[in-house]
Amino acid sequence: MHFQWYPGHMTKAKRMMQENIKLIDLVIELLDARVPISSRNPDIDELGKNKARLILLNKSDLAEERQNDAWMEYFKAKGFAVVKVNSKKGGGMKSIQGVIQEACKEKIERDRKRGILNRPVRAMVVGIPNVGKSTFINSLAGKACAKTGNKPGVTKGKQWIRLNKNVELLDTPGILWPKFEDQKVGLHLAFIGSIKDELLNAEELAAELIRRLRVYYPGVLAEKYGIEETEDSYECLSQIAESRHCLLRGNELDTEKAALLLMDDFRNGRLGRLTMEFPEDYE
Ligand code: G4P
């Protein structure tokens, strides 16, 4: 399978982020907890240097809890503040305010020494498409907070959301494009649905997922679909088609339909909480 991306979008998004980054104290970087490395754009380290950094393992409800904790330790060891969140349900949101203050304590201290008191921390949310940036902003901001409108010194049109007296959030998140140089990254992003399915061969992708699940989570497919997990991934897919009555005219098995069904079950957590990348492979 071969993945490609479109550089035009990338240049524009990067320019927007470079402009905005000057205005902010804290970069809140969202990763997908199922594939924290593949969903991370390495350019953010260059872009966010000299800024306080917070990593959020979003969609943690879809990833294995034990692995979420292992990934938290992994990023903490690299000096990041880390919180695992479920933006859709609001899980993990309570602790974020405290973590933000802690991550920005050097800036707050610097301000204090210069006699600047109570200047709110300004934060920007960044991440690859579909990682949950908008859902997160809505969840964190809730109904209670109002937009603060334009401010002097801020590029016209930028809106800030006042979360409380301590934190302001830029309401437009920074979009980073994933890096596809490594085909494994492309595959991981395809698993979680971050690459348009029309660009992919559904059966090939499903076969790759089956291969992974058989190794990392043996028994999951057998239990969900009542199939035998054989070495041959395409054979497994045929069994899923059979067990789910995916049939073409003439009773031929519709393995494409089965592939789409499998991917949908995986992406929506119906196969359980499954992680596709493990910290020990990235030490
Ligand atoms: P983006 O701004 O980064 O592009 O992402 P966005 O917030 O639009 O979220 C992309 C999808 O991910 C949405 O699903 C959203 O509901 C889902 N999502 C975001 N955070 C979480 C999370 O923590 N857990 C889970 N399980 N899902 C999350 P969608 O299918 O586009 O919409 P919907 O069906 O949820 O309405």
Side-chain angles (χ1 to χ4, degrees):
M1 233 180 286
H2 196 74
F3 304 97
Q4 289 193 40
W5 208 261
Y6 311 101
H9 293 281
M10 265 195 280
T11 323
K12 197 167 159 224
K14 215 166 162 177
R15 204 181 312 123
M16 177 276 196
M17 285 190 50
Q18 271 156 350
E19 269 170 32
N20 287 337
I21 208 111
K22 292 181 220 141
L23 310 170
I24 61 123
D25 309 301
L26 171 72
V27 177
I28 302 178
E29 181 186 0
L30 261 78
L31 304 182
D32 188 305
R34 294 165 294 177
V35 290
I37 299 294
S38 294
S39 59
R40 178 150 212 261
N41 180 310
D43 289 346
I44 189 64
D45 285 331
E46 177 60 27
L47 209 60
K49 67 172 190 255
N50 307 325
K51 304 286 175 186
R53 304 287 299 277
L54 167 59
I55 283 186
L56 300 180
L57 293 173
N58 193 40
K59 309 199 185 185
S60 62
D61 55 306
L62 299 175
E64 201 185 345
E65 191 61 10
R66 190 167 56 98
Q67 300 300 341
N68 289 341
D69 291 336
W71 277 116
M72 278 184 73
E73 290 313 311
Y74 173 92
F75 287 112
K76 276 183 183 167
K78 296 200 178 318
F80 295 98
V82 195
V83 181
K84 56 182 169 190
V85 290
N86 170 357
S87 298
K88 206 166 169 173
K89 293 265 168 71
M93 295 298 157
K94 281 202 199 100
S95 67
I96 285 182
Q97 300 287 355
V99 176
I100 289 178
Q101 294 306 309
E102 178 63 23
C104 295
K105 66 173 190 253
E106 281 175 23
K107 173 227 170 277
I108 294 166
E109 183 57 19
R110 246 189 345 260
D111 278 359
R112 200 184 59 80
K113 282 191 179 141
R114 289 156 58 197
I116 306 167
L117 294 177
N118 303 327
R119 187 164 75 85
V121 165
R122 284 186 165 178
M124 172 162 75
V125 172
V126 305
I128 65 168
N130 211 38
V131 73
K133 296 178 293 300
S134 314
T135 312
F136 169 74
I137 291 175
N138 289 338
S139 173
L140 188 67
K143 294 183 210 82
C145 54
K147 290 192 175 169
T148 58
N150 295 337
K151 289 204 167 165
V154 172
T155 315
K156 197 164 177 280
K158 280 191 185 40
Q159 297 285 324
W160 294 84
I161 304 170
R162 178 178 277 264
L163 295 183
N164 53 39
K165 67 178 175 29
N166 298 321
V167 187
E168 288 181 359
L169 201 63
L170 192 62
D171 82 339
T172 28
I175 304 169
L176 288 166
W177 262 269
K179 295 244 160 171
F180 286 106
E181 278 121 37
D182 180 351
Q183 290 294 296
K184 194 171 71 181
V185 170
L187 191 60
H188 289 167
L189 294 169
F191 285 161
I192 63 168
S194 276
I195 298 173
K196 280 207 173 65
D197 279 342
E198 303 91 80
L199 301 174
L200 303 167
N201 177 319
E203 285 153 285
E204 224 177 300
L205 183 63
E208 290 287 353
L209 181 67
I210 290 170
R211 206 165 293 145
R212 295 299 187 82
L213 292 177
R214 227 177 28 221
V215 175
Y216 296 136
Y217 296 102
V220 161
L221 292 172
E223 190 180 331
K224 175 76 180 171
Y225 302 109
I227 64 164
E228 193 190 331
E229 293 183 3
T230 62
E231 287 281 302
D232 182 345
S233 298
Y234 286 94
E235 154 64 21
C236 291
L237 190 59
S238 297
Q239 289 186 61
I240 294 173
E242 206 169 348
S243 100
R244 285 295 188 262
H245 308 291
C246 302
L247 298 172
L248 294 164
R249 232 184 275 166
N251 271 356
E252 202 184 318
L253 290 175
D254 189 345
T255 45
E256 189 182 351
K257 190 170 172 195
L260 295 173
L261 182 145
L262 168 68
M263 294 316 303
D264 200 55
D265 282 346
F266 169 75
R267 289 170 185 164
N268 289 298
R270 287 190 293 268
L271 298 179
R273 297 174 64 174
L274 305 172
T275 300
M276 289 289 122
E277 279 176 352
F278 306 92
E280 60 265 29
D281 296 331
Y282 295 89
E283 293 303 352

